[in-house]
Amino acid sequence: MREVVHPGGKHGATLILGIGELTTNAPGTPGATDDDPTGVVHDAAVLLDGDRVAWTGPERDAADGVEEALGRAPDRTVDAGNRAVIPGFVDSHTHLVFAGDRAAEFEARMAGRPYAAGGIAGTVAATRAASDAELLAGLRRLVGEALAQGTTTLEVKSGYGLTVVDEVRSVRLAREMTDEVTFLGAHVVPPEFEGRPDEYVDLVCGEMLAACAPHARWVDVFCETGAFSLAQARRVLLAGASAGLGVRVHANQLGPGEGVRLAVELGAASVDHCTYLSDDDVAALAGSWAGGGPGTVATLLPGVEFSTRQPYPDARRLLDAGAVVALASDCNPGSSYTSSMPLCVALAVREMGMTVAEAVWAATAGGARALRRADVGSLAPGARADLVVLDAPSRVHLAYRPGVPLAARVYRAGREVAHSSAR
Amino acid sequence: MREVVHPGGKHGATLILGIGELTTNAPGTPGATDDDPTGVVHDAAVLLDGDRVAWTGPERDAADGVEEALGRAPDRTVDAGNRAVIPGFVDSHTHLVFAGDRAAEFEARMAGRPYAAGGIAGTVAATRAASDAELLAGLRRLVGEALAQGTTTLEVKSGYGLTVVDEVRSVRLAREMTDEVTFLGAHVVPPEFEGRPDEYVDLVCGEMLAACAPHARWVDVFCETGAFSLAQARRVLLAGASAGLGVRVHANQLGPGEGVRLAVELGAASVDHCTYLSDDDVAALAGSWAGGGPGTVATLLPGVEFSTRQPYPDARRLLDAGAVVALASDCNPGSSYTSSMPLCVALAVREMGMTVAEAVWAATAGGARALRRADVGSLAPGARADLVVLDAPSRVHLAYRPGVPLAARVYRAGREVAHSSAR
């Protein structure tokens, strides 16, 4: 890839030319066909001005586009060398504030061996014992790792503290790295409340929520047998909503349940996992978008099924019913310790019945819908200038070349933040 | 990771300290337990002298080890920061000399759509039409991509030329990048010989072999219904052996067949795919090592099954019978366009019944066995100094963190050849 900094130009506007295949997720983009929700333009260019996209379209129209959008020459021109460009990944579901790992538990699970010390409790104990600096170092490392793979927007949940003090510091530390912070005090019932889940829910909805809400944008609850009941989940979500937080839900991961319908009923932005769905669940998810939205996104997390050998969720069924699907990593040390959105795309195509176009949309625009964000997940003019130059001529390579690091360059808010050194 | 270059030291000897978990694949290594074929040492150190491993063992013994092995201070000390170190991956099966890609065919296959122009013929046509420079550029790109992921030894096959001229230039170009070049003129019957496979085999065994053998170490044949029959495969392999080439075979990929037993009968170093095996096949593979070896390695290629939705081979059955198993990428534009050995490890653990230790051994020492190489695949003193520093405390993370680029530093023949910039 060649890059020319124009002499005398101020830093600020970058024109990326020579894009073999540009995914905009903006169907009205010049050069894209009307019936393509991913708004693909071939032989395309993108103009970034400051932290925003200023213009996108066919390269042959770039001179006019730049003149109209900028009124002057760009400060910098990058030739993408016929590579593909996609919007930065929007990973709407991660749990990155924790200490320790659970490699031994993973290894035992894969080998079919029992592992007595397994489960979230180990991570909770390690997280409580860690210093702020240790937690922040781990968080920074994983955010950087995700960014290098093309993830430019990342939600981070609390949920391994499970005391007022430890949940507050979890959301506070997460807030240092992202705007998309979720209070998940109701992740599991901690050991010290064993057998007294309603008392723990009292704490979550009372003092813990009050302390965490100022640092968070979202409230979440794990509504599942073995975690929190429908009634408990409803209490947590309503309390969070009263505190001004948006609603999201973990549900229907390990078996059927009423969590998905609760999420739709409460107008949640997203319900995550969705592995075991009834026809009513699917209809409710699709129906939530019937009035034009915003409805409840079904966020699928295939890294979990890969790492636990559970059956994959049926994305095709959701899409065919008209539901809106997002893909996210669920990066966490227990059930899915991957930060790789490209792997999620590959698994969605291999295992979940999605086309490449649907999977890439779900991992970018879908994640943005799940976070109710209009400024990320697309490359329409005015969007935040978040994009990934792939070391490939087409986005298809994200599924066609599984495991291969394909993010050649990553831009976030107009600034290049990662650059593959091996290419 | 901290690195100190000692003032006045000559370049040449590097001591890597602070290795949290060192996989040597050398069971006698000081600090390793006798019953562990992967020779793991915790809190370990490795001394590299020139292009060779000079010493490995517990870090607490490093001063004595360096004194004994080197007789002076090392020129450079690297602190691995408690990361895991493994031998460089040995990818014993790739097809990297080709032009074009088959992304559209892959996309159609995943969507269950027919794709008339699919198959190897398209790659053959594109390869024949490409210039040497184009083929070499593609080869270099993929070898570099593999190296950045930790692959320090790589076999490359011909097989997309299928004329004397195009096969010769394929092996000649491959030879510019690796010692492990395989002549695979008998990949498929080319279009111009349709209906006359024996005449094509005459060409392969005659003029084509004579022209290619000087550039190759191995001969290979695709023994499968739709490719070459048992009798044709035998002819090709015997002709290759007469020309001084070692024998390897593609077999039992798409259905049961006699290819595996032919490979064992002829003393092949490896038989690759092994998806459909009879009890006799498994017994033959295990039996080939009964006399102390070297026998025939069963090389499994899970990238193929991932990318074609075929059933995965049963590694557990082979291992339990006493066969020697390798993992390789089969990197090629048709059935497995991944260069990622870490993904192969993750798939072997998720899908094929291997433990992490078995999978890492198979991707390193197993590949070395499949290439009959004693100098790579382990970190015993005297081995080539090929190793990967993982951005993880344990090799388990290769499966536990699927899709995440974990190669923090890669050394080949004692020289650092890749360094993750994102960490």
Side-chain angles (χ1 to χ4, degrees):
Chain A
M1 251 167 323
R2 286 179 299 112
E3 177 171 330
V4 179
V5 180
H6 300 287
K10 289 179 302 180
H11 184 81
T14 300
L15 178 65
I16 306 178
L17 292 165
I19 301 172
E21 179 198 274
L22 172 67
T23 297
T24 65
N25 291 338
T29 303
T33 58
D34 285 343
D35 61 349
D36 171 16
T38 68
V40 168
V41 185
H42 292 278
D43 302 318
V46 173
L47 177 67
L48 316 181
D49 185 18
D51 67 346
R52 298 284 147 175
V53 175
W55 179 85
T56 57
E59 181 174 327
R60 63 177 179 276
D61 300 340
D64 289 351
V66 169
E67 178 57 35
E68 191 173 324
L70 203 62
R72 61 181 175 86
D75 305 295
R76 185 180 310 252
T77 303
V78 175
D79 182 346
N82 216 34
R83 290 175 176 78
V85 167
I86 61 171
F89 293 115
V90 179
D91 188 351
S92 63
H93 185 139
T94 81
H95 304 248
L96 301 187
V97 188
F98 64 87
D101 73 38
R102 280 154 53 196
E105 175 187 339
F106 170 83
E107 204 176 6
R109 180 167 69 236
M110 286 296 117
R113 288 198 315 267
Y115 188 80
I120 290 176
T123 299
V124 171
T127 303
R128 289 175 177 176
S131 69
D132 285 16
E134 286 165 342
L135 293 177
L136 193 58
L139 180 58
R140 273 190 204 286
R141 183 176 65 82
L142 291 167
V143 169
E145 178 186 284
L147 193 60
Q149 296 171 87
T151 299
T152 49
T153 303
L154 191 94
E155 182 257 24
V156 176
K157 300 178 199 295
S158 70
Y160 294 120
L162 310 186
T163 64
V164 173
V165 164
D166 288 305
E167 284 295 300
V168 170
R169 72 170 180 151
S170 296
V171 290
R172 185 172 48 73
L173 293 172
R175 190 65 187 80
E176 292 192 30
M177 300 301 294
T178 182
D179 295 338
E180 300 294 345
V181 175
T182 298
F183 166 53
L184 179 62
H187 194 189
V188 289
V189 177
E192 58 274 19
F193 280 88
E194 201 185 320
R196 300 181 291 131
D198 286 313
E199 288 178 46
Y200 182 63
V201 172
D202 291 344
L203 177 66
V204 168
C205 296
E207 188 187 351
M208 196 184 280
L209 173 65
C212 290
H215 306 283
R217 187 176 171 220
W218 303 98
V219 63
D220 194 349
V221 61
F222 188 15
C223 179
E224 191 96 25
T225 304
F228 295 91
S229 70
L230 185 70
Q232 290 161 346
R234 184 188 298 273
R235 276 187 66 201
V236 169
L237 296 173
L238 289 175
S242 294
L245 302 180
V247 170
R248 44 206 321 110
V249 184
H250 284 65
N252 299 57
Q253 176 187 355
L254 303 171
E258 295 177 278
V260 166
R261 274 164 289 157
L262 175 69
V264 173
E265 176 200 326
L266 298 183
S270 181
V271 56
D272 298 26
H273 286 295
C274 294
T275 308
Y276 292 89
L277 299 183
S278 68
D279 289 348
D280 284 351
D281 294 330
V282 174
L285 287 164
S288 75
W289 295 85
T296 301
V297 172
T299 298
L300 310 182
L301 311 166
V304 175
E305 284 78 27
F306 188 90
S307 297
T308 60
R309 290 210 193 100
Q310 294 290 312
Y312 288 91
D314 186 350
R316 187 77 262 140
R317 179 183 179 206
L318 285 160
L319 291 165
D320 288 347
V324 175
V325 170
L327 290 168
S329 72
D330 197 6
C331 188
N332 79 81
S335 56
S336 177
Y337 199 8
T338 187
S339 57
S340 173
M341 291 295 282
L343 182 76
C344 294
V345 168
L347 290 172
V349 170
R350 168 63 158 81
E351 306 286 359
M352 289 158 54
M354 298 182 87
T355 67
V356 172
E358 288 166 343
V360 172
W361 190 93
T364 52
R369 297 291 188 288
L371 294 170
R372 300 248 166 111
R373 289 279 293 264
D375 60 329
V376 297
S378 89
L379 296 174
R384 201 170 73 188
D386 294 357
L387 61 84
V388 187
V389 182
L390 299 177
D391 214 345
S394 161
R395 65 191 182 188
V396 174
H397 287 229
L398 291 167
Y400 177 40
R401 309 208 62 212
V404 178
L406 290 179
R409 290 180 175 223
V410 181
Y411 290 80
R412 187 176 184 284
R415 204 167 66 83
E416 186 171 358
V417 286
H419 189 156
S420 162
S421 60
R423 306 293 153 71
Chain B
M1 247 165 333
R2 285 177 302 112
E3 176 171 331
V4 179
V5 181
H6 301 286
K10 290 178 301 179
H11 184 83
T14 299
L15 179 65
I16 306 178
L17 291 164
I19 300 172
E21 177 198 276
L22 173 66
T23 297
T24 64
N25 291 339
T29 303
T33 58
D34 285 343
D35 61 348
D36 171 16
T38 68
V40 168
V41 186
H42 292 278
D43 302 317
V46 173
L47 177 66
L48 316 181
D49 185 18
D51 67 346
R52 298 284 146 176
V53 175
W55 179 85
T56 57
E59 181 175 329
R60 63 178 180 275
D61 300 340
D64 289 349
V66 168
E67 179 57 35
E68 191 173 324
L70 202 62
R72 61 181 174 86
D75 305 295
R76 184 181 311 253
T77 303
V78 175
D79 182 346
N82 215 34
R83 290 174 175 79
V85 167
I86 62 171
F89 293 115
V90 180
D91 188 350
S92 63
H93 186 139
T94 81
H95 304 249
L96 301 187
V97 188
F98 65 86
D101 73 39
R102 281 152 55 196
E105 175 186 337
F106 169 83
E107 204 177 5
R109 181 168 68 238
M110 287 295 116
R113 288 198 314 267
Y115 188 80
I120 290 177
T123 300
V124 170
T127 303
R128 289 175 178 177
S131 68
D132 285 17
E134 286 164 342
L135 292 177
L136 193 57
L139 180 57
R140 273 189 204 287
R141 182 176 65 82
L142 290 167
V143 170
E145 179 185 283
L147 193 60
Q149 295 170 87
T151 299
T152 50
T153 302
L154 191 94
E155 183 256 24
V156 176
K157 300 177 197 297
S158 71
Y160 295 120
L162 310 186
T163 66
V164 174
V165 164
D166 289 306
E167 284 296 300
V168 170
R169 72 170 179 151
S170 296
V171 289
R172 185 172 49 73
L173 294 172
R175 190 66 187 78
E176 291 191 30
M177 300 301 294
T178 182
D179 296 337
E180 299 295 345
V181 175
T182 299
F183 167 52
L184 179 61
H187 194 189
V188 290
V189 177
E192 59 274 19
F193 281 88
E194 201 185 320
R196 300 181 292 131
D198 286 314
E199 287 178 46
Y200 182 63
V201 172
D202 291 343
L203 178 66
V204 168
C205 296
E207 189 187 351
M208 197 184 280
L209 173 64
C212 291
H215 306 284
R217 186 174 172 221
W218 303 98
V219 64
D220 194 349
V221 61
F222 188 16
C223 179
E224 190 96 25
T225 304
F228 295 92
S229 70
L230 185 70
Q232 290 162 346
R234 184 187 298 274
R235 277 186 67 202
V236 170
L237 296 173
L238 289 175
S242 294
L245 303 180
V247 170
R248 45 206 319 111
V249 185
H250 284 65
N252 298 57
Q253 176 187 356
L254 303 170
E258 296 177 276
V260 165
R261 274 163 289 157
L262 175 68
V264 173
E265 176 199 326
L266 298 184
S270 180
V271 57
D272 299 26
H273 286 296
C274 294
T275 309
Y276 292 90
L277 298 183
S278 68
D279 289 347
D280 284 351
D281 294 331
V282 173
L285 287 164
S288 74
W289 295 85
T296 300
V297 172
T299 299
L300 310 183
L301 311 166
V304 175
E305 284 78 27
F306 188 89
S307 298
T308 61
R309 291 210 192 98
Q310 295 289 313
Y312 289 92
D314 186 350
R316 187 77 262 143
R317 180 184 178 204
L318 286 160
L319 291 166
D320 288 347
V324 175
V325 170
L327 290 169
S329 72
D330 197 6
C331 189
N332 80 80
S335 56
S336 177
Y337 199 6
T338 187
S339 57
S340 173
M341 291 295 281
L343 183 76
C344 295
V345 168
L347 291 172
V349 171
R350 168 63 157 81
E351 305 286 359
M352 291 158 54
M354 299 182 87
T355 66
V356 173
E358 288 166 342
V360 171
W361 189 95
T364 53
R369 300 288 189 288
L371 294 170
R372 299 247 165 114
R373 289 278 293 265
D375 61 328
V376 298
S378 89
L379 296 174
R384 201 172 73 190
D386 295 355
L387 61 84
V388 187
V389 183
L390 299 177
D391 215 345
S394 162
R395 63 191 182 187
V396 174
H397 286 228
L398 292 166
Y400 177 40
R401 308 208 62 210
V404 178
L406 289 179
R409 288 181 175 221
V410 181
Y411 290 80
R412 187 177 183 283
R415 203 167 65 84
E416 186 171 0
V417 286
H419 189 157
S420 162
S421 60
R423 307 294 154 71

